[in-house]
Short mmCIF file of all heavy atoms in Angstrom, two decimals:
data_model
loop_
_atom_site.label_atom_id
_atom_site.label_comp_id
_atom_site.label_asym_id
_atom_site.label_seq_id
_atom_site.Cartn_x
_atom_site.Cartn_y
_atom_site.Cartn_z
N MET A 1 80.12 73.51 136.29
CA MET A 1 80.64 73.95 134.99
C MET A 1 80.90 75.44 135.02
O MET A 1 80.07 76.23 135.48
CB MET A 1 79.61 73.63 133.91
CG MET A 1 79.88 74.30 132.57
SD MET A 1 78.59 73.96 131.36
CE MET A 1 79.13 72.40 130.72
N LYS A 2 82.08 75.81 134.53
CA LYS A 2 82.40 77.24 134.41
C LYS A 2 82.66 77.54 132.94
O LYS A 2 83.35 76.80 132.27
CB LYS A 2 83.62 77.57 135.26
CG LYS A 2 84.01 79.04 135.23
CD LYS A 2 85.09 79.32 136.27
CE LYS A 2 85.36 80.81 136.43
NZ LYS A 2 85.98 81.45 135.30
N VAL A 3 82.10 78.64 132.47
CA VAL A 3 82.23 79.01 131.06
C VAL A 3 83.12 80.26 130.96
O VAL A 3 82.96 81.22 131.72
CB VAL A 3 80.85 79.33 130.44
CG1 VAL A 3 81.01 79.65 128.96
CG2 VAL A 3 79.91 78.17 130.64
N VAL A 4 84.07 80.19 130.02
CA VAL A 4 84.94 81.33 129.77
C VAL A 4 84.84 81.67 128.29
O VAL A 4 84.93 80.79 127.44
CB VAL A 4 86.41 80.98 130.12
CG1 VAL A 4 87.32 82.17 129.86
CG2 VAL A 4 86.51 80.51 131.57
N ILE A 5 84.63 82.95 128.01
CA ILE A 5 84.59 83.36 126.59
C ILE A 5 85.77 84.26 126.27
O ILE A 5 86.30 84.95 127.15
CB ILE A 5 83.26 84.08 126.24
CG1 ILE A 5 83.04 85.28 127.15
CG2 ILE A 5 82.10 83.13 126.30
CD1 ILE A 5 81.90 86.17 126.69
N ASP A 6 86.16 84.23 125.01
CA ASP A 6 87.26 85.06 124.54
C ASP A 6 86.70 86.03 123.50
O ASP A 6 86.49 85.66 122.35
CB ASP A 6 88.36 84.18 123.93
CG ASP A 6 89.59 84.99 123.55
OD1 ASP A 6 89.46 86.23 123.38
OD2 ASP A 6 90.67 84.40 123.43
N GLU A 7 86.43 87.25 123.93
CA GLU A 7 85.83 88.24 123.01
C GLU A 7 86.74 88.55 121.84
O GLU A 7 86.27 88.94 120.77
CB GLU A 7 85.51 89.53 123.77
CG GLU A 7 84.40 89.36 124.79
CD GLU A 7 84.08 90.67 125.49
OE1 GLU A 7 84.58 91.73 125.07
OE2 GLU A 7 83.34 90.63 126.49
N GLU A 8 88.04 88.41 122.04
CA GLU A 8 89.00 88.71 120.96
C GLU A 8 88.85 87.71 119.81
O GLU A 8 89.04 88.06 118.65
CB GLU A 8 90.43 88.62 121.50
CG GLU A 8 90.73 89.59 122.62
CD GLU A 8 90.87 91.01 122.10
OE1 GLU A 8 91.56 91.19 121.09
OE2 GLU A 8 90.27 91.92 122.69
N LYS A 9 88.50 86.47 120.14
CA LYS A 9 88.35 85.44 119.11
C LYS A 9 86.98 85.47 118.46
O LYS A 9 86.83 85.07 117.32
CB LYS A 9 88.55 84.05 119.74
CG LYS A 9 89.99 83.70 120.05
CD LYS A 9 90.03 82.24 120.51
CE LYS A 9 91.41 81.80 120.92
NZ LYS A 9 91.35 80.48 121.58
N CYS A 10 85.98 85.87 119.19
CA CYS A 10 84.59 85.82 118.71
C CYS A 10 84.45 86.57 117.39
O CYS A 10 84.90 87.70 117.25
CB CYS A 10 83.66 86.43 119.76
SG CYS A 10 81.95 86.51 119.23
N VAL A 11 83.78 85.91 116.43
CA VAL A 11 83.52 86.54 115.14
C VAL A 11 82.03 86.85 114.96
O VAL A 11 81.58 87.05 113.85
CB VAL A 11 84.04 85.66 113.98
CG1 VAL A 11 85.54 85.52 114.05
CG2 VAL A 11 83.38 84.28 113.99
N ALA A 12 81.31 86.87 116.07
CA ALA A 12 79.91 87.29 116.07
C ALA A 12 79.01 86.43 115.21
O ALA A 12 78.08 86.91 114.58
CB ALA A 12 79.81 88.77 115.65
N ALA A 13 79.31 85.15 115.17
CA ALA A 13 78.54 84.25 114.31
C ALA A 13 77.18 83.89 114.90
O ALA A 13 76.26 83.57 114.17
CB ALA A 13 79.35 82.96 114.06
N GLY A 14 77.06 83.91 116.21
CA GLY A 14 75.75 83.73 116.84
C GLY A 14 75.31 82.30 117.09
O GLY A 14 74.24 82.08 117.63
N GLN A 15 76.11 81.33 116.71
CA GLN A 15 75.71 79.94 116.93
C GLN A 15 75.54 79.62 118.41
O GLN A 15 74.71 78.79 118.78
CB GLN A 15 76.72 78.96 116.33
CG GLN A 15 76.53 78.72 114.86
CD GLN A 15 77.39 79.66 114.05
OE1 GLN A 15 77.63 80.80 114.45
NE2 GLN A 15 77.85 79.20 112.92
N CYS A 16 76.35 80.24 119.24
CA CYS A 16 76.26 79.96 120.68
C CYS A 16 74.91 80.39 121.24
O CYS A 16 74.34 79.70 122.09
CB CYS A 16 77.39 80.65 121.43
SG CYS A 16 77.47 82.44 121.17
N VAL A 17 74.39 81.49 120.75
CA VAL A 17 73.08 81.98 121.22
C VAL A 17 71.99 81.01 120.78
O VAL A 17 71.08 80.69 121.55
CB VAL A 17 72.81 83.40 120.69
CG1 VAL A 17 71.47 83.92 121.19
CG2 VAL A 17 73.93 84.34 121.09
N ALA A 18 72.09 80.53 119.57
CA ALA A 18 71.10 79.57 119.07
C ALA A 18 71.13 78.28 119.89
O ALA A 18 70.10 77.65 120.14
CB ALA A 18 71.36 79.27 117.60
N ALA A 19 72.33 77.90 120.33
CA ALA A 19 72.47 76.64 121.07
C ALA A 19 72.08 76.76 122.54
O ALA A 19 71.55 75.81 123.12
CB ALA A 19 73.92 76.14 120.96
N ALA A 20 72.34 77.91 123.14
CA ALA A 20 72.10 78.06 124.58
C ALA A 20 71.76 79.52 124.87
O ALA A 20 72.59 80.29 125.37
CB ALA A 20 73.33 77.62 125.37
N MET A 21 70.52 79.91 124.60
CA MET A 21 70.15 81.33 124.72
C MET A 21 70.05 81.83 126.16
O MET A 21 70.03 83.03 126.39
CB MET A 21 68.84 81.60 123.97
CG MET A 21 67.64 80.88 124.52
SD MET A 21 66.16 81.14 123.51
CE MET A 21 65.95 82.90 123.63
N ASP A 22 70.03 80.89 127.12
CA ASP A 22 70.00 81.33 128.52
C ASP A 22 71.41 81.67 129.01
O ASP A 22 71.58 82.26 130.08
CB ASP A 22 69.44 80.23 129.42
CG ASP A 22 67.94 80.04 129.17
OD1 ASP A 22 67.28 81.02 128.80
OD2 ASP A 22 67.46 78.92 129.36
N VAL A 23 72.40 81.26 128.25
CA VAL A 23 73.79 81.43 128.70
C VAL A 23 74.55 82.47 127.87
O VAL A 23 75.41 83.18 128.38
CB VAL A 23 74.54 80.07 128.66
CG1 VAL A 23 75.98 80.22 129.10
CG2 VAL A 23 73.81 79.06 129.54
N PHE A 24 74.19 82.55 126.57
CA PHE A 24 74.90 83.47 125.68
C PHE A 24 73.95 84.47 125.05
O PHE A 24 72.81 84.15 124.73
CB PHE A 24 75.61 82.69 124.56
CG PHE A 24 76.56 81.65 125.06
CD1 PHE A 24 76.19 80.31 125.08
CD2 PHE A 24 77.81 82.00 125.51
CE1 PHE A 24 77.05 79.33 125.54
CE2 PHE A 24 78.70 81.02 125.97
CZ PHE A 24 78.32 79.69 125.99
N ASP A 25 74.46 85.69 124.86
CA ASP A 25 73.73 86.71 124.11
C ASP A 25 74.77 87.40 123.24
O ASP A 25 75.96 87.08 123.31
CB ASP A 25 73.05 87.69 125.06
CG ASP A 25 71.94 88.47 124.38
OD1 ASP A 25 71.71 88.29 123.16
OD2 ASP A 25 71.28 89.27 125.08
N GLN A 26 74.31 88.32 122.41
CA GLN A 26 75.25 89.06 121.57
C GLN A 26 75.04 90.56 121.77
O GLN A 26 73.90 91.01 121.95
CB GLN A 26 75.03 88.74 120.09
CG GLN A 26 75.48 87.36 119.70
CD GLN A 26 75.16 87.07 118.24
OE1 GLN A 26 74.05 86.68 117.92
NE2 GLN A 26 76.14 87.26 117.36
N ARG A 27 76.14 91.31 121.73
CA ARG A 27 76.03 92.75 121.86
C ARG A 27 75.24 93.33 120.69
O ARG A 27 75.38 92.87 119.56
CB ARG A 27 77.43 93.41 121.88
CG ARG A 27 78.21 93.09 123.14
CD ARG A 27 79.32 94.10 123.40
NE ARG A 27 80.31 94.18 122.34
CZ ARG A 27 81.62 93.96 122.49
NH1 ARG A 27 82.10 93.62 123.67
NH2 ARG A 27 82.44 94.10 121.47
N GLU A 28 74.43 94.34 121.01
CA GLU A 28 73.57 94.94 119.98
C GLU A 28 74.39 95.53 118.84
O GLU A 28 74.06 95.36 117.67
CB GLU A 28 72.75 96.07 120.62
CG GLU A 28 71.75 95.61 121.64
CD GLU A 28 70.34 95.59 121.08
OE1 GLU A 28 70.06 96.39 120.19
OE2 GLU A 28 69.54 94.78 121.55
N ASP A 29 75.48 96.20 119.17
CA ASP A 29 76.16 96.99 118.15
C ASP A 29 77.05 96.16 117.23
O ASP A 29 77.08 96.39 116.02
CB ASP A 29 76.96 98.13 118.80
CG ASP A 29 77.83 97.66 119.95
OD1 ASP A 29 77.61 96.54 120.44
OD2 ASP A 29 78.74 98.40 120.34
N ASP A 30 77.77 95.19 117.77
CA ASP A 30 78.71 94.47 116.90
C ASP A 30 78.54 92.94 116.95
O ASP A 30 79.29 92.23 116.27
CB ASP A 30 80.16 94.84 117.26
CG ASP A 30 80.48 94.57 118.72
OD1 ASP A 30 79.65 93.95 119.40
OD2 ASP A 30 81.57 94.98 119.16
N GLY A 31 77.59 92.45 117.71
CA GLY A 31 77.31 91.03 117.71
C GLY A 31 78.27 90.15 118.50
O GLY A 31 78.15 88.93 118.49
N ILE A 32 79.23 90.78 119.17
CA ILE A 32 80.19 90.01 119.96
C ILE A 32 79.46 89.36 121.14
O ILE A 32 78.55 89.93 121.73
CB ILE A 32 81.33 90.92 120.46
CG1 ILE A 32 82.13 91.47 119.28
CG2 ILE A 32 82.24 90.18 121.44
CD1 ILE A 32 82.83 90.44 118.42
N VAL A 33 79.90 88.16 121.46
CA VAL A 33 79.23 87.36 122.47
C VAL A 33 79.23 88.04 123.86
O VAL A 33 80.20 88.69 124.25
CB VAL A 33 79.87 85.96 122.54
CG1 VAL A 33 81.30 86.02 123.01
CG2 VAL A 33 79.06 85.01 123.41
N VAL A 34 78.10 87.86 124.55
CA VAL A 34 77.98 88.30 125.94
C VAL A 34 77.65 87.07 126.77
O VAL A 34 76.73 86.32 126.44
CB VAL A 34 76.84 89.34 126.10
CG1 VAL A 34 76.66 89.71 127.56
CG2 VAL A 34 77.11 90.56 125.25
N LEU A 35 78.40 86.85 127.81
CA LEU A 35 78.15 85.71 128.69
C LEU A 35 77.14 86.11 129.76
O LEU A 35 77.37 86.99 130.57
CB LEU A 35 79.48 85.27 129.33
CG LEU A 35 79.44 83.99 130.15
CD1 LEU A 35 78.97 82.80 129.33
CD2 LEU A 35 80.82 83.72 130.75
N LEU A 36 75.98 85.45 129.73
CA LEU A 36 74.92 85.77 130.68
C LEU A 36 75.04 84.99 131.97
O LEU A 36 74.58 85.43 133.02
CB LEU A 36 73.55 85.45 130.05
CG LEU A 36 73.19 86.16 128.75
CD1 LEU A 36 71.86 85.63 128.23
CD2 LEU A 36 73.13 87.66 128.94
N ASP A 37 75.64 83.81 131.87
CA ASP A 37 75.68 82.92 133.03
C ASP A 37 77.03 82.18 133.04
O ASP A 37 77.26 81.29 132.24
CB ASP A 37 74.52 81.93 132.94
CG ASP A 37 74.40 81.07 134.18
OD1 ASP A 37 75.28 81.14 135.06
OD2 ASP A 37 73.41 80.30 134.26
N GLU A 38 77.90 82.59 133.94
CA GLU A 38 79.25 82.03 133.99
C GLU A 38 79.26 80.62 134.56
O GLU A 38 80.17 79.83 134.27
CB GLU A 38 80.11 82.95 134.87
CG GLU A 38 81.58 82.77 134.71
CD GLU A 38 82.35 83.74 135.61
OE1 GLU A 38 82.13 83.71 136.85
OE2 GLU A 38 83.14 84.52 135.08
N ASN A 39 78.28 80.30 135.37
CA ASN A 39 78.19 78.98 136.01
C ASN A 39 76.83 78.36 135.74
O ASN A 39 75.97 78.30 136.64
CB ASN A 39 78.42 79.10 137.52
CG ASN A 39 79.80 79.62 137.84
OD1 ASN A 39 79.96 80.77 138.23
ND2 ASN A 39 80.80 78.80 137.66
N PRO A 40 76.59 77.90 134.52
CA PRO A 40 75.27 77.37 134.18
C PRO A 40 74.93 76.11 134.99
O PRO A 40 75.82 75.34 135.36
CB PRO A 40 75.37 77.04 132.69
CG PRO A 40 76.70 77.46 132.24
CD PRO A 40 77.51 77.87 133.40
N SER A 41 73.64 75.92 135.20
CA SER A 41 73.17 74.75 135.94
C SER A 41 73.38 73.48 135.12
O SER A 41 73.57 73.54 133.90
CB SER A 41 71.69 74.91 136.26
OG SER A 41 70.95 74.95 135.06
N ASP A 42 73.32 72.34 135.79
CA ASP A 42 73.55 71.05 135.12
C ASP A 42 72.60 70.83 133.96
O ASP A 42 72.97 70.22 132.96
CB ASP A 42 73.39 69.90 136.13
CG ASP A 42 74.57 69.84 137.09
OD1 ASP A 42 75.58 70.51 136.82
OD2 ASP A 42 74.48 69.13 138.09
N GLU A 43 71.39 71.33 134.10
CA GLU A 43 70.42 71.07 133.03
C GLU A 43 70.76 71.85 131.75
O GLU A 43 70.27 71.51 130.67
CB GLU A 43 68.99 71.36 133.48
CG GLU A 43 68.72 72.78 133.89
CD GLU A 43 67.38 72.92 134.59
OE1 GLU A 43 66.93 71.92 135.20
OE2 GLU A 43 66.80 74.01 134.53
N LEU A 44 71.60 72.86 131.86
CA LEU A 44 72.03 73.61 130.68
C LEU A 44 73.36 73.13 130.13
O LEU A 44 73.80 73.56 129.07
CB LEU A 44 72.15 75.10 131.03
CG LEU A 44 70.85 75.84 131.35
CD1 LEU A 44 71.16 77.27 131.82
CD2 LEU A 44 69.94 75.88 130.14
N ALA A 45 73.98 72.18 130.83
CA ALA A 45 75.35 71.79 130.49
C ALA A 45 75.47 71.25 129.07
O ALA A 45 76.42 71.61 128.34
CB ALA A 45 75.86 70.76 131.50
N ASP A 46 74.54 70.42 128.65
CA ASP A 46 74.62 69.85 127.30
C ASP A 46 74.51 70.96 126.25
O ASP A 46 75.22 70.94 125.24
CB ASP A 46 73.51 68.82 127.08
CG ASP A 46 73.83 67.49 127.76
OD1 ASP A 46 74.99 67.31 128.18
OD2 ASP A 46 72.91 66.67 127.86
N ASP A 47 73.61 71.92 126.48
CA ASP A 47 73.46 73.02 125.53
C ASP A 47 74.74 73.85 125.45
O ASP A 47 75.14 74.30 124.38
CB ASP A 47 72.29 73.93 125.95
CG ASP A 47 70.94 73.26 125.74
OD1 ASP A 47 70.90 72.22 125.07
OD2 ASP A 47 69.95 73.80 126.25
N VAL A 48 75.37 74.05 126.60
CA VAL A 48 76.59 74.86 126.62
C VAL A 48 77.73 74.13 125.92
O VAL A 48 78.49 74.73 125.15
CB VAL A 48 76.98 75.21 128.07
CG1 VAL A 48 78.32 75.92 128.12
CG2 VAL A 48 75.90 76.09 128.70
N ARG A 49 77.83 72.83 126.15
CA ARG A 49 78.85 72.05 125.43
C ARG A 49 78.61 72.09 123.93
O ARG A 49 79.54 72.20 123.14
CB ARG A 49 78.83 70.59 125.91
CG ARG A 49 79.48 70.41 127.26
CD ARG A 49 79.75 68.95 127.59
NE ARG A 49 79.97 68.83 129.02
CZ ARG A 49 79.04 68.49 129.90
NH1 ARG A 49 77.82 68.19 129.51
NH2 ARG A 49 79.31 68.45 131.18
N ASN A 50 77.36 72.03 123.56
CA ASN A 50 77.02 72.12 122.15
C ASN A 50 77.40 73.48 121.59
O ASN A 50 77.97 73.58 120.49
CB ASN A 50 75.50 71.88 121.99
CG ASN A 50 75.10 71.69 120.56
OD1 ASN A 50 75.88 71.20 119.76
ND2 ASN A 50 73.90 72.11 120.23
N ALA A 51 77.15 74.54 122.34
CA ALA A 51 77.52 75.89 121.90
C ALA A 51 79.03 75.99 121.67
O ALA A 51 79.49 76.54 120.66
CB ALA A 51 77.08 76.92 122.94
N ALA A 52 79.79 75.44 122.59
CA ALA A 52 81.25 75.47 122.45
C ALA A 52 81.69 74.69 121.22
O ALA A 52 82.62 75.09 120.50
CB ALA A 52 81.91 74.92 123.71
N ALA A 53 80.99 73.58 120.96
CA ALA A 53 81.37 72.73 119.83
C ALA A 53 81.07 73.39 118.49
O ALA A 53 81.80 73.20 117.52
CB ALA A 53 80.63 71.40 119.92
N VAL A 54 79.99 74.18 118.42
CA VAL A 54 79.61 74.77 117.14
C VAL A 54 80.23 76.15 116.91
O VAL A 54 80.16 76.68 115.81
CB VAL A 54 78.07 74.87 116.97
CG1 VAL A 54 77.47 73.48 116.95
CG2 VAL A 54 77.45 75.76 118.01
N CYS A 55 80.83 76.72 117.92
CA CYS A 55 81.43 78.05 117.75
C CYS A 55 82.58 77.95 116.72
O CYS A 55 83.56 77.24 116.93
CB CYS A 55 81.98 78.57 119.08
SG CYS A 55 82.91 80.11 118.85
N PRO A 56 82.46 78.68 115.61
CA PRO A 56 83.48 78.56 114.56
C PRO A 56 84.82 79.17 114.95
O PRO A 56 85.84 78.88 114.32
CB PRO A 56 82.84 79.32 113.38
CG PRO A 56 81.90 80.28 114.01
CD PRO A 56 81.38 79.60 115.25
N ALA A 57 84.81 80.00 115.97
CA ALA A 57 86.05 80.69 116.37
C ALA A 57 86.72 80.07 117.59
O ALA A 57 87.74 80.56 118.04
CB ALA A 57 85.72 82.16 116.66
N LEU A 58 86.13 79.00 118.10
CA LEU A 58 86.64 78.37 119.34
C LEU A 58 86.81 79.40 120.44
O LEU A 58 87.81 79.41 121.16
CB LEU A 58 87.96 77.62 119.07
CG LEU A 58 87.90 76.55 117.98
CD1 LEU A 58 89.27 75.93 117.77
CD2 LEU A 58 86.87 75.48 118.31
N ALA A 59 85.81 80.24 120.57
CA ALA A 59 85.89 81.34 121.54
C ALA A 59 85.26 80.98 122.89
O ALA A 59 85.29 81.79 123.81
CB ALA A 59 85.18 82.57 120.96
N ILE A 60 84.73 79.76 122.99
CA ILE A 60 84.06 79.34 124.23
C ILE A 60 84.86 78.21 124.85
O ILE A 60 85.08 77.18 124.22
CB ILE A 60 82.62 78.87 123.95
CG1 ILE A 60 81.82 80.01 123.30
CG2 ILE A 60 81.95 78.40 125.25
CD1 ILE A 60 80.49 79.56 122.73
N ARG A 61 85.28 78.41 126.08
CA ARG A 61 86.03 77.37 126.78
C ARG A 61 85.21 76.94 128.00
O ARG A 61 84.62 77.76 128.68
CB ARG A 61 87.39 77.91 127.22
CG ARG A 61 88.40 76.81 127.48
CD ARG A 61 89.77 77.36 127.79
NE ARG A 61 89.85 77.83 129.17
CZ ARG A 61 90.23 79.04 129.54
NH1 ARG A 61 90.56 79.94 128.64
NH2 ARG A 61 90.28 79.36 130.81
N ILE A 62 85.20 75.63 128.24
CA ILE A 62 84.45 75.10 129.37
C ILE A 62 85.42 74.48 130.37
O ILE A 62 86.27 73.66 129.98
CB ILE A 62 83.43 74.06 128.90
CG1 ILE A 62 82.38 74.73 128.03
CG2 ILE A 62 82.77 73.36 130.10
CD1 ILE A 62 81.48 73.76 127.31
N GLU A 63 85.29 74.90 131.61
CA GLU A 63 86.08 74.30 132.68
C GLU A 63 85.11 73.52 133.54
O GLU A 63 84.20 74.08 134.12
CB GLU A 63 86.80 75.39 133.49
CG GLU A 63 87.78 76.18 132.62
CD GLU A 63 88.37 77.37 133.37
OE1 GLU A 63 88.01 77.60 134.53
OE2 GLU A 63 89.18 78.08 132.75
N GLU A 64 85.29 72.21 133.58
CA GLU A 64 84.32 71.37 134.30
C GLU A 64 84.56 71.46 135.80
O GLU A 64 85.65 71.65 136.24
CB GLU A 64 84.48 69.92 133.86
CG GLU A 64 84.23 69.72 132.37
CD GLU A 64 82.76 69.84 131.97
OE1 GLU A 64 81.91 69.82 132.86
OE2 GLU A 64 82.49 69.96 130.77
S1 SF4 B 101 79.38 81.14 118.32
FE1 SF4 B 101 81.47 81.79 118.85
S2 SF4 B 101 81.97 83.31 117.30
FE2 SF4 B 101 79.77 83.07 117.27
S3 SF4 B 101 78.97 84.65 118.67
FE3 SF4 B 101 79.24 82.78 119.85
S4 SF4 B 101 81.28 82.96 120.74
FE4 SF4 B 101 81.16 84.42 119.05
#
């Protein structure tokens, strides 16, 4: 699994961090998403898919 984020779309809502905190973080100053792990392990895959699904800005893309 490869994860791609679009910082331009991100509205700093933070749902991705709640869904997969090992993969996503937010910048201190403006809350924009930070990708911690571009190639998450299989055991994190469901959490990452969930993060992409709940992101209100559709800023998370998953390439399988
Ligand atoms: S859930 Fe989407 S909009 Fe919210 S911080 Fe994560 S990437 Fe940005």
Side-chain angles (χ1 to χ4, degrees):
M1 168 182 276
K2 181 171 189 292
V3 183
V4 181
I5 56 169
D6 186 339
E7 292 182 10
E8 300 286 314
K9 285 187 183 170
C10 176
V11 296
Q15 277 93 327
C16 56
V17 181
M21 63 185 299
D22 291 331
V23 179
F24 303 101
D25 199 358
Q26 288 177 277
R27 290 202 300 238
E28 294 258 331
D29 49 344
D30 57 9
I32 296 298
V33 65
V34 176
L35 186 58
L36 301 175
D37 186 354
E38 197 179 57
N39 298 105
S41 63
D42 286 348
E43 62 192 27
L44 292 174
D46 283 348
D47 288 348
V48 174
R49 284 193 198 96
N50 191 30
V54 296
C55 173
L58 303 178
I60 301 168
R61 202 175 79 234
I62 294 169
E63 298 173 0
E64 300 288 346

